[in-house]
Amino acid sequence: MARFRKNKRIPFVRPIGKKLPSSVDHVTGDKIPKSFVFSRGKLPGVLRQLQTDLRKLMLPYTALKLKEKKRNNIKDFLNVAGPMGVTHFLILSKTDSSPYLRVGRTPQGPTLTFKIHGYSLAADVIKAQLRPRCHKDLFQNPPLIVLSGFGTGEQHLKLTTIMFQNIFPAIDINTVKLASCQRIVLLSYNKDTKLIDFRHYSIRLQPVGVSRRVRKFVQNRQAPNLSGLQDVSEFLTRPGYGSESEVDDEAATVSLPTDLGRLNRASNKSAVKLQEIGPRMTLQLVRIEEGLCSGGIIFSEFGDKISSKAEKTENAGEQSEDDEEDNEQDDEEGEDQDDDDEEQDDED
Amino acid sequence: MKKKKQIPAGGLDSDLSSTIHSQSEFFDHLIELIPSRFYISADDDSKPWYQGLSKAAKASLRLKTKENLKLARRNRFDPDAEPSSVAKLVQQREDGESPSKEIDLGDSEKKSVTYEELREKLRRKIEALKGNRGENRFDEKKMRNEWNKRSRDGEGEGSAREKRENVGEDNDDDGEEIIEYGKVKLGDEGEGRNSNKKRKMSKAQELEKAKKKKEVMKENPSVAEKETWKAAVSRAMGVKVHDDAKLIKGSMKREKKRKEKNAEKWKERVGTVEKMKEERQKKRRDNIVGRINDKKARKIAKREKKLMRPGFEGRKEGFITKE
């Protein structure tokens, strides 16, 4: 029997995962922001995991299986981003000191550079939990975002909030379905340490005031074992010890406007339970640049002299550090007092 | 019968009044049976011209009518409420109209008197805005946050009055725990937008603007800083900011080239159309001429066929011997 071989030579087409959903939101009419998450330079395995975690976080409006090659520049990504309607780039990179995360807006938007002080992978977070839950369409809807502590009015914080608020699509109050709000991203800024905590939770609603037995029965729909009981009423009214988490304060309960599943009925109280999924990061805003990884620096946290070797790991298409220093000289603004040191250093 | 018509001891008046009363009640009862819409004309001014509105406005109007219908149905079937009657509706109408009418009259009088004052106010406001540009931004941001918080129903989930109050506590002046949420779309914003839409400036105008900005920025560093931050913020929000003269020039050049290319293509198209037309016409003419010639040749051939006898070569052309 002849062996059939694939004699066709298929040219390498960069497969970009499943088809991205449409560019324009049907409901609001706005453009839906989409993102690319990729890395520059060689990353160790743990950081590659972090990259996949971030990609899952940004679902569904991101390329889950984006393949990048070593020779790709940011310009290549920009060229692809235009026709596909991609608006944000999340770039991971690593230097000797620590990994960095850059969040930038295409095509010429500002770039925020964050230094990652510490991170935990999603797999580790889930392993540490006693009962991890992952709903099957957990990643089919974009997450909500909550920013806390950013309101002090400083320019760079304002820009950070605006940037993050626009990474995820807007929610139309009139038409949003409760069932589609399943994830939430929390960013909280600590003024003293200037660190931003990044957390990612899944939202679960549990009816309040229903005894545990009844709730389990409705959830699992399994016939309970009534052999030891005299009467059904014993089953329903038996005072079982409630779980510790049942003692919720009023702040965490809401009354739903619509039904959500079999358990949570409209205008009944339900408790909102958050369970952590996804990566956990501690970020520090280091720099804000005017362009996409280029352009003048409009904010710099430290007066750190950025040496030409550190920070950026490689790549021809990228702006080298020398250019950056030149740009610093050109228009150096910043609200940090350490700018003086930086300017002294740069004026060689 | 006469007995029934006996005048009671109280006198004619009381009897008459009671009968009048009962009769008027009967008539009122009859009137109440008529549905009120035949009775009270609807205010046509309250409804704007439905077909001329924008999509967002239409959607919100539809929502409102739905809600009104629901409310009306509830009120109709509410066992505790008093059954509404036409008389009540008429009274409501009157009460509703008269105070508004009074206000209208008052306003129209005031308007003509204080036009000058309004102009002054406007001027003052413009100057104030110009002066406090930097400070205002912070206020606007705060107001926007509060607006988001107030209308945002607990991060998109069911509305929770308790949550709103908690958020209100957080938004203190010490600014410690200000919580902001993602972008929220409110249904009412779309109606105001249509009038505020900016016209796109032509590229030449943008170029001029960019150049001027650059000059101003070179001279004045604080203005430069403000402008860069403003540009960064609007870029982060998705607004396209054209402030680089080189890029604008590049795009102008590209546009010109595209236009030239298109003009050339058009000329080519017209040329080919002409050429094809010519070809076809020529072909037709040739065919016609050819047909005529064919006909003639056939006739000649037919004539000559008769003379093609064996032994002869056709029509004699002349004498054999030369003369």
Side-chain angles (χ1 to χ4, degrees):
Chain A
M1 267 308 228
R3 287 255 190 93
F4 294 104
R5 274 176 61 194
K6 249 192 172 179
N7 287 324
K8 299 193 261 189
R9 291 198 160 268
I10 304 170
F12 174 72
V13 174
R14 183 195 279 164
I16 303 214
K18 59 186 177 188
K19 186 160 173 259
L20 286 174
S22 68
S23 229
V24 175
D25 197 357
H26 295 293
V27 179
T28 60
D30 283 346
K31 193 168 171 211
I32 303 182
K34 298 187 199 161
S35 54
F36 273 170
V37 182
F38 56 94
S39 62
R40 313 301 301 133
K42 191 152 190 223
L43 293 185
V46 205
L47 279 177
R48 290 231 164 256
Q49 263 289 90
L50 182 64
Q51 187 186 309
T52 39
D53 288 340
L54 280 177
R55 275 199 194 151
K56 277 185 85 179
L57 197 150
M58 306 292 300
L59 277 180
Y61 295 115
T62 189
L64 188 60
K65 298 194 193 133
L66 181 66
K67 287 204 170 84
E68 74 238 7
K69 291 218 171 261
K70 205 168 160 196
R71 59 171 181 265
N72 289 138
N73 303 333
I74 290 201
K75 260 201 207 141
D76 296 341
F77 285 106
L78 266 181
N79 287 337
V80 188
M84 304 199 82
V86 172
T87 54
H88 290 86
F89 282 173
L90 271 78
I91 309 171
L92 275 172
S93 60
K94 180 162 174 23
T95 68
D96 299 329
S97 54
S98 67
Y100 284 82
L101 171 69
R102 272 176 284 167
V103 179
R105 200 175 203 289
T106 59
Q108 344 165 5
T111 315
L112 284 79
T113 309
F114 295 99
K115 179 170 172 171
I116 302 180
H117 280 263
Y119 60 95
S120 308
L121 298 175
D124 296 334
V125 163
I126 288 178
K127 254 195 242 176
Q129 285 174 354
L130 205 50
R131 290 204 188 89
R133 276 172 241 261
C134 186
H135 192 50
K136 70 173 155 60
D137 21 315
L138 193 59
F139 291 100
Q140 273 182 10
N141 297 108
L144 311 171
I145 179 156
V146 174
L147 302 130
S148 131
F150 279 92
T152 55
E154 291 171 39
Q155 287 274 42
H156 57 272
L157 292 180
K158 264 203 292 183
L159 186 59
T160 316
T161 45
I162 292 177
M163 199 71 177
F164 276 109
Q165 276 171 345
N166 284 284
I167 286 187
F168 301 110
I171 294 183
D172 190 3
I173 300 187
N174 297 327
T175 55
V176 71
K177 289 199 279 201
L178 281 186
S180 64
C181 311
Q182 287 162 328
R183 291 185 292 140
I184 182 168
V185 169
L186 169 68
L187 286 148
S188 115
Y189 178 70
N190 191 340
K191 253 198 312 192
D192 309 318
T193 61
K194 298 207 179 166
L195 292 177
I196 301 174
D197 286 325
F198 181 102
R199 301 279 183 273
H200 182 209
Y201 298 97
S202 73
I203 300 174
R204 207 163 39 101
L205 288 169
Q206 231 180 32
V208 150
V210 179
S211 85
R212 195 162 156 272
R213 292 176 143 225
V214 174
R215 186 165 45 87
K216 289 283 179 197
F217 174 46
V218 176
Q219 248 176 344
N220 303 335
R221 277 209 170 161
Q222 260 178 344
N225 188 5
L226 300 174
S227 61
L229 304 173
Q230 301 274 20
D231 194 7
V232 168
S233 61
E234 280 185 36
F235 172 73
L236 289 173
T237 59
R238 170 118 156 228
Y241 43 94
S243 63
E244 293 152 4
S245 58
E246 286 283 326
V247 187
D248 282 328
D249 40 336
E250 278 303 298
T253 59
V254 295
S255 65
L256 298 175
T258 58
D259 292 352
L260 191 69
R262 247 179 285 127
L263 285 179
N264 307 296
R265 295 276 153 196
S267 62
N268 281 348
K269 286 225 173 263
S270 306
V272 176
K273 295 205 185 263
L274 299 179
Q275 188 165 28
E276 189 164 4
I277 50 175
R280 199 191 277 188
M281 290 194 285
T282 316
L283 308 165
Q284 182 184 20
L285 178 61
V286 158
R287 215 180 326 141
I288 299 184
E289 288 156 306
E290 234 184 305
L292 183 63
C293 301
S294 56
I297 299 184
I298 48 183
F299 168 77
S300 177
E301 176 70 43
F302 317 114
D304 273 2
K305 162 112 173 149
I306 311 153
S307 66
S308 44
K309 295 227 181 92
E311 291 253 3
K312 305 284 175 75
T313 45
E314 32 111 335
N315 267 309
E318 280 189 355
Q319 279 260 334
S320 69
E321 283 303 311
D322 305 330
D323 288 84
E324 213 168 83
E325 289 176 349
D326 287 342
N327 286 336
E328 279 178 21
Q329 285 175 16
D330 279 343
D331 37 20
E332 179 55 69
E333 298 98 350
E335 298 168 323
D336 214 77
Q337 291 95 0
D338 295 337
D339 276 352
D340 298 334
D341 299 340
E342 193 169 358
E343 285 184 27
Q344 282 171 19
D345 286 338
D346 286 343
E347 278 157 22
D348 291 328
Chain B
M1 280 226 287
K2 257 194 175 176
K3 281 182 190 167
K4 283 185 187 168
K5 275 192 176 172
Q6 265 176 20
I7 301 164
L12 239 138
D13 293 330
S14 65
D15 188 31
L16 203 68
S17 66
S18 68
T19 48
I20 291 175
H21 182 68
S22 65
Q23 280 170 358
S24 80
E25 267 192 26
F26 174 66
F27 279 122
D28 283 340
H29 177 65
L30 274 185
I31 289 171
E32 272 173 34
L33 291 175
I34 306 174
S36 61
R37 59 190 166 100
F38 296 115
Y39 220 82
I40 302 176
S41 65
D43 233 359
D44 281 331
D45 301 334
S46 60
K47 288 192 228 149
W49 180 45
Y50 185 70
Q51 259 129 4
L53 294 175
S54 65
K55 253 193 194 174
K58 274 193 207 169
S60 67
L61 271 184
R62 255 186 238 129
L63 276 174
K64 277 188 206 154
T65 49
K66 264 199 205 164
E67 287 170 16
N68 286 347
L69 281 172
K70 276 195 190 162
L71 261 178
R73 199 187 299 149
R74 284 206 102 191
N75 290 343
R76 238 189 298 149
F77 294 130
D78 195 355
D80 301 329
E82 295 175 4
S84 68
S85 61
V86 179
K88 267 199 200 158
L89 279 174
V90 171
Q91 231 192 14
Q92 272 179 10
R93 275 295 173 87
E94 286 174 9
D95 291 338
E97 282 175 356
S98 47
S100 60
K101 278 190 188 153
E102 289 167 5
I103 292 168
D104 285 338
L105 291 172
D107 273 347
S108 59
E109 289 172 1
K110 287 177 192 165
K111 265 186 196 167
S112 52
V113 168
T114 60
Y115 185 68
E116 301 302 318
E117 284 185 27
L118 285 175
R119 254 206 255 156
E120 279 305 312
K121 259 195 194 172
L122 180 65
R123 223 175 282 152
R124 260 180 266 143
K125 224 182 184 180
I126 291 175
E127 280 172 355
L129 281 176
K130 271 192 195 162
N132 305 344
R133 222 168 242 167
E135 296 151 35
N136 255 359
R137 241 192 273 154
F138 173 66
D139 286 338
E140 279 170 21
K141 178 78 180 158
K142 227 185 174 182
M143 281 199 297
R144 203 174 58 137
N145 289 343
E146 290 182 39
W147 172 254
N148 272 351
K149 261 172 265 162
R150 267 188 240 120
S151 30
R152 182 95 191 244
D153 301 330
E155 297 147 41
E157 293 179 3
S159 81
R161 299 283 152 89
E162 306 122 27
K163 257 205 175 154
R164 275 199 214 131
E165 282 159 14
N166 286 346
V167 163
E169 287 163 22
D170 289 335
N171 187 13
D172 279 338
D173 287 332
D174 51 1
E176 279 196 8
E177 278 302 311
I178 297 181
I179 297 187
E180 288 152 3
Y181 304 99
K183 274 197 302 183
V184 171
K185 261 261 167 178
L186 308 163
D188 307 330
E189 279 178 352
E191 295 169 12
R193 278 297 158 78
N194 296 335
S195 50
N196 296 348
K197 252 198 184 147
K198 297 177 245 175
R199 288 301 313 161
K200 245 173 90 170
M201 291 191 292
S202 80
K203 295 229 165 91
Q205 287 174 330
E206 300 237 0
L207 187 63
E208 288 306 312
K209 220 177 136 192
K211 279 191 192 154
K212 265 189 235 163
K213 234 196 224 176
K214 205 171 171 193
E215 283 173 18
V216 171
M217 276 170 62
K218 268 198 199 144
E219 296 161 16
N220 196 347
S222 71
V223 169
E225 193 184 328
K226 270 193 208 165
E227 286 295 314
T228 43
W229 275 108
K230 212 163 71 160
V233 165
S234 44
R235 280 213 180 101
M237 288 204 282
V239 177
K240 289 203 177 155
V241 177
H242 303 119
D243 60 357
D244 194 356
K246 237 195 324 183
L247 292 175
I248 300 177
K249 263 192 246 171
S251 84
M252 276 168 71
K253 254 194 235 167
R254 259 178 277 141
E255 205 186 335
K256 214 168 52 169
K257 276 207 190 126
R258 234 181 298 147
K259 280 213 161 122
E260 282 171 18
K261 231 171 122 183
N262 286 348
E264 258 195 54
K265 274 196 200 154
W266 181 249
K267 261 192 264 172
E268 231 190 88
R269 248 183 85 182
V270 169
T272 43
V273 163
E274 283 291 327
K275 220 171 49 171
M276 299 299 287
K277 204 168 88 171
E278 278 303 314
E279 269 178 37
R280 268 182 268 137
Q281 285 181 345
K282 188 162 166 278
K283 200 173 174 187
R284 274 187 218 129
R285 263 180 264 132
D286 290 344
N287 287 349
I288 292 172
V289 165
R291 242 182 291 147
I292 294 173
N293 289 346
D294 269 347
K295 255 192 185 169
K296 287 193 193 153
R298 255 183 276 142
K299 275 210 165 140
I300 292 175
K302 202 173 172 188
R303 215 172 7 146
E304 297 299 317
K305 235 188 2 180
K306 292 188 200 155
L307 298 178
M308 281 298 178
R309 296 189 293 268
F312 285 90
E313 287 173 3
R315 196 174 288 271
K316 95 176 167 180
E317 285 159 14
F319 293 101
I320 301 172
T321 56
K322 272 205 186 154
E323 199 61 60

PDB file of all heavy atoms in Angstrom, chain A residues 267-289:
ATOM      1  N   SER A 267     -34.337  39.339  44.031  1.00  0.00           N
ATOM      2  CA  SER A 267     -34.755  40.069  45.226  1.00  0.00           C
ATOM      3  C   SER A 267     -34.668  39.227  46.490  1.00  0.00           C
ATOM      4  O   SER A 267     -35.339  39.473  47.461  1.00  0.00           O
ATOM      5  CB  SER A 267     -36.170  40.645  45.078  1.00  0.00           C
ATOM      6  OG  SER A 267     -37.083  39.604  44.913  1.00  0.00           O
ATOM      7  N   ASN A 268     -33.824  38.232  46.429  1.00  0.00           N
ATOM      8  CA  ASN A 268     -33.466  37.538  47.657  1.00  0.00           C
ATOM      9  C   ASN A 268     -32.018  37.837  47.935  1.00  0.00           C
ATOM     10  O   ASN A 268     -31.236  38.087  47.032  1.00  0.00           O
ATOM     11  CB  ASN A 268     -33.625  36.025  47.492  1.00  0.00           C
ATOM     12  CG  ASN A 268     -35.065  35.618  47.616  1.00  0.00           C
ATOM     13  OD1 ASN A 268     -35.892  36.406  48.042  1.00  0.00           O
ATOM     14  ND2 ASN A 268     -35.343  34.407  47.235  1.00  0.00           N
ATOM     15  N   LYS A 269     -31.685  37.748  49.192  1.00  0.00           N
ATOM     16  CA  LYS A 269     -30.309  38.118  49.519  1.00  0.00           C
ATOM     17  C   LYS A 269     -29.358  37.028  49.090  1.00  0.00           C
ATOM     18  O   LYS A 269     -29.616  35.847  49.312  1.00  0.00           O
ATOM     19  CB  LYS A 269     -30.209  38.319  51.031  1.00  0.00           C
ATOM     20  CG  LYS A 269     -30.860  39.585  51.450  1.00  0.00           C
ATOM     21  CD  LYS A 269     -29.968  40.316  52.425  1.00  0.00           C
ATOM     22  CE  LYS A 269     -30.517  41.657  52.732  1.00  0.00           C
ATOM     23  NZ  LYS A 269     -29.912  42.668  51.926  1.00  0.00           N
ATOM     24  N   SER A 270     -28.277  37.433  48.512  1.00  0.00           N
ATOM     25  CA  SER A 270     -27.231  36.489  48.155  1.00  0.00           C
ATOM     26  C   SER A 270     -25.914  37.064  48.614  1.00  0.00           C
ATOM     27  O   SER A 270     -25.700  38.266  48.563  1.00  0.00           O
ATOM     28  CB  SER A 270     -27.169  36.267  46.653  1.00  0.00           C
ATOM     29  OG  SER A 270     -28.408  35.889  46.159  1.00  0.00           O
ATOM     30  N   ALA A 271     -25.057  36.160  49.015  1.00  0.00           N
ATOM     31  CA  ALA A 271     -23.732  36.592  49.435  1.00  0.00           C
ATOM     32  C   ALA A 271     -22.790  36.494  48.250  1.00  0.00           C
ATOM     33  O   ALA A 271     -22.849  35.555  47.469  1.00  0.00           O
ATOM     34  CB  ALA A 271     -23.230  35.713  50.571  1.00  0.00           C
ATOM     35  N   VAL A 272     -21.923  37.473  48.129  1.00  0.00           N
ATOM     36  CA  VAL A 272     -20.932  37.484  47.066  1.00  0.00           C
ATOM     37  C   VAL A 272     -19.654  36.868  47.607  1.00  0.00           C
ATOM     38  O   VAL A 272     -19.082  37.370  48.569  1.00  0.00           O
ATOM     39  CB  VAL A 272     -20.666  38.916  46.606  1.00  0.00           C
ATOM     40  CG1 VAL A 272     -19.583  38.940  45.577  1.00  0.00           C
ATOM     41  CG2 VAL A 272     -21.923  39.528  46.049  1.00  0.00           C
ATOM     42  N   LYS A 273     -19.225  35.798  46.983  1.00  0.00           N
ATOM     43  CA  LYS A 273     -18.001  35.152  47.464  1.00  0.00           C
ATOM     44  C   LYS A 273     -16.957  35.235  46.376  1.00  0.00           C
ATOM     45  O   LYS A 273     -17.203  34.889  45.216  1.00  0.00           O
ATOM     46  CB  LYS A 273     -18.298  33.693  47.780  1.00  0.00           C
ATOM     47  CG  LYS A 273     -19.260  33.554  48.929  1.00  0.00           C
ATOM     48  CD  LYS A 273     -19.104  32.239  49.623  1.00  0.00           C
ATOM     49  CE  LYS A 273     -20.159  32.077  50.672  1.00  0.00           C
ATOM     50  NZ  LYS A 273     -19.774  32.406  51.989  1.00  0.00           N
ATOM     51  N   LEU A 274     -15.800  35.671  46.755  1.00  0.00           N
ATOM     52  CA  LEU A 274     -14.692  35.761  45.804  1.00  0.00           C
ATOM     53  C   LEU A 274     -13.709  34.654  46.095  1.00  0.00           C
ATOM     54  O   LEU A 274     -13.336  34.421  47.228  1.00  0.00           O
ATOM     55  CB  LEU A 274     -13.973  37.100  45.958  1.00  0.00           C
ATOM     56  CG  LEU A 274     -14.785  38.351  45.702  1.00  0.00           C
ATOM     57  CD1 LEU A 274     -13.925  39.564  45.929  1.00  0.00           C
ATOM     58  CD2 LEU A 274     -15.294  38.366  44.292  1.00  0.00           C
ATOM     59  N   GLN A 275     -13.299  33.995  45.047  1.00  0.00           N
ATOM     60  CA  GLN A 275     -12.286  32.962  45.235  1.00  0.00           C
ATOM     61  C   GLN A 275     -11.133  33.266  44.294  1.00  0.00           C
ATOM     62  O   GLN A 275     -11.341  33.549  43.106  1.00  0.00           O
ATOM     63  CB  GLN A 275     -12.863  31.600  44.902  1.00  0.00           C
ATOM     64  CG  GLN A 275     -11.920  30.504  45.267  1.00  0.00           C
ATOM     65  CD  GLN A 275     -12.612  29.174  45.270  1.00  0.00           C
ATOM     66  OE1 GLN A 275     -13.581  29.003  44.547  1.00  0.00           O
ATOM     67  NE2 GLN A 275     -12.131  28.250  46.064  1.00  0.00           N
ATOM     68  N   GLU A 276      -9.955  33.193  44.824  1.00  0.00           N
ATOM     69  CA  GLU A 276      -8.823  33.645  44.014  1.00  0.00           C
ATOM     70  C   GLU A 276      -8.442  32.600  42.984  1.00  0.00           C
ATOM     71  O   GLU A 276      -8.297  31.422  43.276  1.00  0.00           O
ATOM     72  CB  GLU A 276      -7.622  33.927  44.906  1.00  0.00           C
ATOM     73  CG  GLU A 276      -6.517  34.596  44.139  1.00  0.00           C
ATOM     74  CD  GLU A 276      -5.498  35.225  45.053  1.00  0.00           C
ATOM     75  OE1 GLU A 276      -5.642  35.052  46.273  1.00  0.00           O
ATOM     76  OE2 GLU A 276      -4.572  35.853  44.528  1.00  0.00           O
ATOM     77  N   ILE A 277      -8.336  33.068  41.769  1.00  0.00           N
ATOM     78  CA  ILE A 277      -7.767  32.254  40.693  1.00  0.00           C
ATOM     79  C   ILE A 277      -6.680  33.115  40.110  1.00  0.00           C
ATOM     80  O   ILE A 277      -6.547  34.254  40.424  1.00  0.00           O
ATOM     81  CB  ILE A 277      -8.808  31.949  39.592  1.00  0.00           C
ATOM     82  CG1 ILE A 277      -9.480  33.234  39.155  1.00  0.00           C
ATOM     83  CG2 ILE A 277      -9.810  30.953  40.055  1.00  0.00           C
ATOM     84  CD1 ILE A 277     -10.420  33.053  38.013  1.00  0.00           C
ATOM     85  N   GLY A 278      -5.941  32.581  39.234  1.00  0.00           N
ATOM     86  CA  GLY A 278      -5.075  33.458  38.489  1.00  0.00           C
ATOM     87  C   GLY A 278      -3.914  34.025  39.264  1.00  0.00           C
ATOM     88  O   GLY A 278      -3.828  33.886  40.475  1.00  0.00           O
ATOM     89  N   PRO A 279      -3.032  34.667  38.529  1.00  0.00           N
ATOM     90  CA  PRO A 279      -1.760  35.064  39.129  1.00  0.00           C
ATOM     91  C   PRO A 279      -1.932  36.191  40.132  1.00  0.00           C
ATOM     92  O   PRO A 279      -2.909  36.915  40.121  1.00  0.00           O
ATOM     93  CB  PRO A 279      -0.935  35.516  37.928  1.00  0.00           C
ATOM     94  CG  PRO A 279      -1.930  35.972  36.946  1.00  0.00           C
ATOM     95  CD  PRO A 279      -3.124  35.101  37.134  1.00  0.00           C
ATOM     96  N   ARG A 280      -0.943  36.285  40.941  1.00  0.00           N
ATOM     97  CA  ARG A 280      -0.913  37.302  41.966  1.00  0.00           C
ATOM     98  C   ARG A 280       0.399  38.038  41.783  1.00  0.00           C
ATOM     99  O   ARG A 280       1.443  37.404  41.658  1.00  0.00           O
ATOM    100  CB  ARG A 280      -0.921  36.591  43.316  1.00  0.00           C
ATOM    101  CG  ARG A 280      -1.325  37.407  44.478  1.00  0.00           C
ATOM    102  CD  ARG A 280      -1.028  36.659  45.730  1.00  0.00           C
ATOM    103  NE  ARG A 280      -2.063  35.716  46.079  1.00  0.00           N
ATOM    104  CZ  ARG A 280      -2.071  35.056  47.231  1.00  0.00           C
ATOM    105  NH1 ARG A 280      -1.111  35.249  48.085  1.00  0.00           N
ATOM    106  NH2 ARG A 280      -3.024  34.203  47.487  1.00  0.00           N
ATOM    107  N   MET A 281       0.346  39.356  41.723  1.00  0.00           N
ATOM    108  CA  MET A 281       1.590  40.086  41.453  1.00  0.00           C
ATOM    109  C   MET A 281       1.702  41.292  42.355  1.00  0.00           C
ATOM    110  O   MET A 281       0.698  41.853  42.786  1.00  0.00           O
ATOM    111  CB  MET A 281       1.606  40.583  40.002  1.00  0.00           C
ATOM    112  CG  MET A 281       1.753  39.490  38.971  1.00  0.00           C
ATOM    113  SD  MET A 281       2.179  40.146  37.365  1.00  0.00           S
ATOM    114  CE  MET A 281       0.634  40.819  36.846  1.00  0.00           C
ATOM    115  N   THR A 282       2.923  41.681  42.601  1.00  0.00           N
ATOM    116  CA  THR A 282       3.187  42.940  43.300  1.00  0.00           C
ATOM    117  C   THR A 282       3.999  43.799  42.364  1.00  0.00           C
ATOM    118  O   THR A 282       5.123  43.451  42.002  1.00  0.00           O
ATOM    119  CB  THR A 282       3.996  42.693  44.587  1.00  0.00           C
ATOM    120  OG1 THR A 282       3.445  41.568  45.237  1.00  0.00           O
ATOM    121  CG2 THR A 282       3.891  43.883  45.493  1.00  0.00           C
ATOM    122  N   LEU A 283       3.395  44.917  41.957  1.00  0.00           N
ATOM    123  CA  LEU A 283       4.019  45.737  40.920  1.00  0.00           C
ATOM    124  C   LEU A 283       4.414  47.083  41.485  1.00  0.00           C
ATOM    125  O   LEU A 283       3.840  47.563  42.451  1.00  0.00           O
ATOM    126  CB  LEU A 283       3.031  45.977  39.772  1.00  0.00           C
ATOM    127  CG  LEU A 283       2.352  44.766  39.172  1.00  0.00           C
ATOM    128  CD1 LEU A 283       1.189  45.213  38.339  1.00  0.00           C
ATOM    129  CD2 LEU A 283       3.330  44.010  38.317  1.00  0.00           C
ATOM    130  N   GLN A 284       5.383  47.665  40.820  1.00  0.00           N
ATOM    131  CA  GLN A 284       5.725  49.035  41.170  1.00  0.00           C
ATOM    132  C   GLN A 284       5.899  49.817  39.880  1.00  0.00           C
ATOM    133  O   GLN A 284       6.642  49.395  38.984  1.00  0.00           O
ATOM    134  CB  GLN A 284       7.033  49.065  41.953  1.00  0.00           C
ATOM    135  CG  GLN A 284       7.399  50.458  42.370  1.00  0.00           C
ATOM    136  CD  GLN A 284       8.725  50.498  43.064  1.00  0.00           C
ATOM    137  OE1 GLN A 284       9.532  49.598  42.929  1.00  0.00           O
ATOM    138  NE2 GLN A 284       8.944  51.556  43.798  1.00  0.00           N
ATOM    139  N   LEU A 285       5.188  50.925  39.798  1.00  0.00           N
ATOM    140  CA  LEU A 285       5.258  51.725  38.586  1.00  0.00           C
ATOM    141  C   LEU A 285       6.607  52.423  38.531  1.00  0.00           C
ATOM    142  O   LEU A 285       6.967  53.174  39.423  1.00  0.00           O
ATOM    143  CB  LEU A 285       4.129  52.760  38.584  1.00  0.00           C
ATOM    144  CG  LEU A 285       4.105  53.716  37.396  1.00  0.00           C
ATOM    145  CD1 LEU A 285       3.932  52.956  36.124  1.00  0.00           C
ATOM    146  CD2 LEU A 285       2.988  54.707  37.569  1.00  0.00           C
ATOM    147  N   VAL A 286       7.329  52.133  37.472  1.00  0.00           N
ATOM    148  CA  VAL A 286       8.691  52.624  37.389  1.00  0.00           C
ATOM    149  C   VAL A 286       8.817  53.769  36.409  1.00  0.00           C
ATOM    150  O   VAL A 286       9.515  54.748  36.661  1.00  0.00           O
ATOM    151  CB  VAL A 286       9.617  51.452  36.987  1.00  0.00           C
ATOM    152  CG1 VAL A 286      10.881  51.948  36.378  1.00  0.00           C
ATOM    153  CG2 VAL A 286       9.910  50.610  38.200  1.00  0.00           C
ATOM    154  N   ARG A 287       8.118  53.662  35.286  1.00  0.00           N
ATOM    155  CA  ARG A 287       8.340  54.655  34.246  1.00  0.00           C
ATOM    156  C   ARG A 287       7.096  54.766  33.398  1.00  0.00           C
ATOM    157  O   ARG A 287       6.370  53.786  33.208  1.00  0.00           O
ATOM    158  CB  ARG A 287       9.507  54.191  33.378  1.00  0.00           C
ATOM    159  CG  ARG A 287      10.346  55.318  32.882  1.00  0.00           C
ATOM    160  CD  ARG A 287      11.475  54.831  32.029  1.00  0.00           C
ATOM    161  NE  ARG A 287      11.999  53.555  32.436  1.00  0.00           N
ATOM    162  CZ  ARG A 287      12.376  52.613  31.601  1.00  0.00           C
ATOM    163  NH1 ARG A 287      12.276  52.822  30.311  1.00  0.00           N
ATOM    164  NH2 ARG A 287      12.861  51.479  32.029  1.00  0.00           N
ATOM    165  N   ILE A 288       6.874  55.961  32.883  1.00  0.00           N
ATOM    166  CA  ILE A 288       5.811  56.150  31.895  1.00  0.00           C
ATOM    167  C   ILE A 288       6.433  56.821  30.690  1.00  0.00           C
ATOM    168  O   ILE A 288       7.050  57.884  30.809  1.00  0.00           O
ATOM    169  CB  ILE A 288       4.678  57.028  32.442  1.00  0.00           C
ATOM    170  CG1 ILE A 288       4.054  56.377  33.658  1.00  0.00           C
ATOM    171  CG2 ILE A 288       3.613  57.198  31.379  1.00  0.00           C
ATOM    172  CD1 ILE A 288       2.873  57.143  34.187  1.00  0.00           C
ATOM    173  N   GLU A 289       6.276  56.188  29.563  1.00  0.00           N
ATOM    174  CA  GLU A 289       6.849  56.755  28.335  1.00  0.00           C
ATOM    175  C   GLU A 289       5.733  57.222  27.433  1.00  0.00           C
ATOM    176  O   GLU A 289       4.640  56.680  27.431  1.00  0.00           O
ATOM    177  CB  GLU A 289       7.659  55.683  27.593  1.00  0.00           C
ATOM    178  CG  GLU A 289       8.954  55.346  28.284  1.00  0.00           C
ATOM    179  CD  GLU A 289       9.412  53.950  27.901  1.00  0.00           C
ATOM    180  OE1 GLU A 289       8.627  53.014  28.064  1.00  0.00           O
ATOM    181  OE2 GLU A 289      10.530  53.817  27.413  1.00  0.00           O
TER     182      GLU A 289
END
